[in-house]
Amino acid sequence: MAYRIAIPAAGESFSAEPGETLLAAAERAGVRLPHDCQAGGCGTCRIRLLDGAVTYDEFPFGLTPEEEAEGYALACQGVPAGDLVIAVPSVADDLPEPRRHAATVTAVESACDGVTRLTLALLDGVPFGYWAGQYLNIRLEDGEPRSFSMASAPARGVLDVHVRRLPGGRFTDGLLPRLKPGDRLEVDLPLGSFVYREADYRPLLMVATGTGIAPVRAILDALKDDPDAPPVDLYWGMRTEADLYLDAELRSWEAAFAEFRYVPVLSRGGPLWRGRRGYVQDAVAADFDDLSEHAIYLCGSPAMIAEAKRAFLDRGASVQHIYAEGFTTAARPAIAADSVLHGGWAASALRSGNGA
Ligand SMILES: Cc1cc2nc3c(=O)[nH]c(=O)nc-3n(C[C@H](O)[C@H](O)[C@H](O)COP(=O)(O)OP(=O)(O)OC[C@H]3O[C@@H](n4cnc5c(N)ncnc54)[C@H](O)[C@@H]3O)c2cc1C
């Protein structure tokens, strides 16, 4: 017997077959729910259960027990246990529809060891828009998608992404090193809902690891020079001084915001490093006793996000004011999530540094 899933705020409903995830059922019915990794790691598909319950094969990594206790669930992993009434983040309705585009590479530059700035221009002349914080999918030759966040505010009219190389990765270690200006790629955009929530007007705490700074930079790029921009505390976790490829620019933004504090945190800073050391989420936790008034944006390593959520909720942060995007990998999102819990790849990626 199918279950009925109602979204009263949108006036929509659809049915889910027994054993079917909420996201799969919504997609089958043509109902748009925000989602990214589809492996329970990134947290983008977080919805609120107003009535009813879901079950999980395995409790998803991208959800904390505190979030679950407050009625949140991840649509990509949650299987309805009966009829449901749900609420979906309202921003999803306003986001532009993604489309497939032909793009050409306009620049490929090294940002720092292991990170490449890739700049693209769309070829098809179709007007495009995106919200700062959204991402695009680059299609590999066989159509498999690889996700990268736009690093600039949309008004700049370019598509630039910051790509961390993953050894053995099909795109970042395979295709990217061979790309040159003039090469063609297929991309889908805009995607994702890690965007600035204007309605949630609170002091901003933004925490990124590695290339997780890219969508955060886009959001801040769009906000800077806005006299109504809220106060911003930006923490960026990297490994070494040489990794801080946006350091000068981020420091310069202190002049572009009425209140802007930028704190780089290095997990492997050299002997001359005078700044903060350790893991970025620990630095935030040390600096803030009370996060109950903040809107918190987390981006980068899923392990950092999971630890940050726990630490920040302990300091009074509220679940509905935390927005997160975990940079799961396409090839092994579940492995990444699982191994954080069991001390494998993703945990070692975090513990050996702040990289995303
Ligand atoms: C919404 C979103 C936005 C993102 N934005 C960015 C961004 O702005 N910048 C950025 O750098 N990253 C970003 N990411 C992460 C990026 O999409 C991944 O790193 C991407 O999968 C890399 O693609 P790849 O083809 O190089 O690696 P993949 O082919 O996906 O491989 C990833 C890793 O897994 C290993 N691997 C492959 N197959 C196996 C296997 N069977 N068993 C074990 N290991 C395996 C590879 O060797 C490699 O190390 C984002 C992710 C998401 C979900």
Side-chain angles (χ1 to χ4, degrees), residues 10-79:
E12 285 182 307
S13 67
F14 58 96
S15 64
E17 296 299 325
E20 192 176 30
T21 66
L22 203 44
L23 179 62
E27 295 217 305
R28 194 169 45 75
V31 172
R32 209 168 151 204
L33 293 184
H35 62 277
D36 289 321
C37 77
Q38 299 189 52
C42 70
T44 304
C45 64
R46 195 179 75 168
I47 53 99
R48 190 158 202 174
L49 296 168
L50 303 177
D51 193 27
V54 297
T55 59
Y56 300 102
D57 275 351
E58 274 183 47
F59 192 76
F61 184 72
L63 190 73
T64 62
E66 292 85 353
E67 287 173 301
E68 188 191 37
E70 292 209 21
Y72 289 92
L74 293 192
C76 77
Q77 302 297 303
V79 174

Side-chain angles (χ1 to χ4, degrees), residues 36 135 146-149 162-164 166-172 211 325-332:
D36 289 321
Y135 69 93
R146 292 294 186 267
S147 305
F148 299 99
S149 305
H162 300 170
V163 182
R164 171 170 296 284
L166 295 181
R170 286 186 63 199
F171 178 73
T172 63
T211 48
E325 183 152 271
F327 280 5
T328 49
T329 71
R332 49 178 192 178

Side-chain angles (χ1 to χ4, degrees), residues 25-287:
E27 295 217 305
R28 194 169 45 75
V31 172
R32 209 168 151 204
L33 293 184
H35 62 277
D36 289 321
C37 77
Q38 299 189 52
C42 70
T44 304
C45 64
R46 195 179 75 168
I47 53 99
R48 190 158 202 174
L49 296 168
L50 303 177
D51 193 27
V54 297
T55 59
Y56 300 102
D57 275 351
E58 274 183 47
F59 192 76
F61 184 72
L63 190 73
T64 62
E66 292 85 353
E67 287 173 301
E68 188 191 37
E70 292 209 21
Y72 289 92
L74 293 192
C76 77
Q77 302 297 303
V79 174
D83 292 347
L84 299 181
V85 181
I86 67 171
V88 179
S90 58
V91 69
D93 301 334
D94 304 328
L95 296 173
E97 281 286 337
R99 295 188 57 160
R100 175 76 46 90
H101 298 269
T104 187
V105 173
T106 55
V108 192
E109 299 158 348
S110 170
C112 67
D113 189 28
V115 176
T116 301
R117 278 183 221 251
L118 174 66
T119 312
L120 304 174
L122 299 189
L123 283 172
D124 47 19
V126 177
F128 74 97
Y130 64 90
W131 286 24
Q134 289 195 284
Y135 69 93
L136 54 76
N137 274 343
I138 293 175
R139 294 276 162 185
L140 302 179
E141 283 119 8
D142 59 3
E144 261 201 51
R146 292 294 186 267
S147 305
F148 299 99
S149 305
M150 274 76 82
S152 301
R156 302 202 180 282
V158 290
L159 289 173
D160 62 331
V161 295
H162 300 170
V163 182
R164 171 170 296 284
R165 184 176 70 84
L166 295 181
R170 286 186 63 199
F171 178 73
T172 63
D173 205 23
L175 183 57
L176 180 67
R178 292 187 276 117
L179 282 182
K180 53 187 185 323
D183 285 347
R184 303 280 179 99
L185 289 171
E186 289 216 309
V187 295
D188 301 317
L189 77 137
L191 295 158
S193 54
F194 183 70
V195 297
Y196 174 57
R197 316 294 167 115
E198 203 173 353
D200 189 11
Y201 189 87
R202 292 169 153 234
L204 297 181
L205 172 61
M206 311 195 93
V207 184
T209 52
T211 48
I213 196 69
V216 170
R217 175 184 184 268
I219 292 171
L220 293 175
D221 193 19
L223 273 180
K224 77 180 163 49
D225 304 319
D226 176 350
D228 296 326
V232 180
D233 283 289
L234 168 63
Y235 284 71
W236 186 23
M238 273 293 196
R239 290 177 186 158
T240 68
E241 291 90 327
D243 291 339
L244 293 171
Y245 63 93
L246 289 176
D247 196 56
E249 181 184 48
L250 298 177
R251 285 184 196 284
S252 77
W253 284 2
E254 281 170 12
F257 285 87
E259 285 181 65
F260 183 86
R261 189 168 146 265
Y262 159 60
V263 183
V265 183
L266 298 182
S267 54
R268 293 193 218 157
L272 298 179
W273 174 246
R274 299 266 168 269
R276 304 292 291 275
R277 291 176 186 270
Y279 300 131
V280 67
Q281 66 276 18
D282 296 340
V284 175
D287 290 355

